[in-house]
Amino acid sequence: RRMQTKLGDILGTIKYMSPEQAWGGLIGGPIDHRSDIWTLGVILCEIATHGGHPYSLGPTPVRSAEEALLHRIRTELPKPPPIADPQHGPSLKRLIDRCLVWDKRHRIQSAKELADEVRRCVDRRKVRTKKLPMGYRLARILTDLALRRRSVLWVSNVVAALLLLSFLLFAAGV
């Protein structure tokens, strides 16, 4: 009998998984060719940093290395790659940043486009890929902080709920 994957199944090499793969397609939309762009971004990061990875690969006190990496991919922003090469560094960093974006719509959209940009970088020509929009970067940083600081998120939600309840009771004349 053939086995068919279902929504929520997690398959692949964790080290190269996109966030939507790490969530099994449940968050971030269906898995498509842009997941491969994420993987190419991780590989480009490894090449540009001589083996560096956008996430810590080690275990935590409560998680194995694999479980910890899966959790990081799901909840953390990738670390900016430390590229020392002054000629290629800024361009490579921009390309890597655009490959490793959670929102697939902001990723480089095809392997051909990425290959063309890497070729431009190697030829010491200016890359055409633009930086991420400031609004997107700010929203992603705030989301990252909220995910890392769950206690702050819970407290702010409770305070907001209490304020809303107080307002509704006041408005109702209770």
Side-chain angles (χ1 to χ4, degrees):
R1 292 188 330 182
R2 286 187 162 176
M3 294 189 61
Q4 186 171 358
T5 58
K6 300 178 297 300
L7 190 63
D9 287 348
I10 300 173
L11 299 172
T13 305
I14 295 172
K15 187 175 176 183
Y16 298 103
M17 262 184 203
S18 65
E20 58 271 18
Q21 286 174 302
W23 283 107
L26 297 172
I27 294 179
I31 298 166
D32 60 19
H33 68 280
R34 293 171 292 187
S35 292
D36 295 332
I37 301 301
W38 175 282
T39 300
L40 290 171
V42 173
I43 293 169
L44 187 58
C45 179
E46 289 176 333
I47 292 168
T49 62
H50 304 291
H53 194 272
Y55 294 100
S56 170
L57 300 175
T60 65
V62 295
R63 291 188 173 105
S64 69
E66 292 82 15
E67 291 170 335
L69 180 56
L70 197 58
H71 177 74
R72 289 179 188 113
I73 292 169
R74 288 176 176 164
T75 60
E76 295 178 12
L77 280 173
K79 292 179 292 191
I83 302 171
D85 184 350
Q87 289 193 3
H88 297 100
S91 297
L92 279 173
K93 183 182 179 319
R94 182 177 298 171
L95 294 179
I96 293 167
D97 285 347
R98 287 305 292 263
C99 289
L100 302 181
V101 174
W102 270 34
D103 186 341
K104 297 181 295 191
R105 295 171 299 167
H106 291 289
R107 285 186 200 150
I108 292 176
Q109 295 298 299
S110 72
K112 181 184 180 337
E113 182 183 343
L114 178 59
D116 291 344
E117 289 293 73
V118 169
R119 195 170 298 113
R120 291 180 70 77
C121 187
V122 169
D123 292 343
R124 294 192 173 110
R125 293 183 289 150
K126 185 176 180 182
V127 295
R128 294 182 179 135
T129 300
K130 305 286 184 227
K131 286 183 178 181
L132 287 166
M134 180 58 81
Y136 178 82
R137 288 185 284 169
L138 183 60
R140 188 61 196 104
I141 289 169
L142 292 175
T143 302
D144 186 54
L145 287 173
L147 287 170
R148 287 186 192 199
R149 309 267 189 255
R150 291 182 192 266
S151 58
V152 172
L153 186 62
W154 276 104
V155 168
S156 64
N157 283 338
V158 169
V159 168
L162 289 174
L163 287 172
L164 179 63
L165 181 64
S166 299
F167 174 76
L168 290 174
L169 290 173
F170 177 76
V174 175

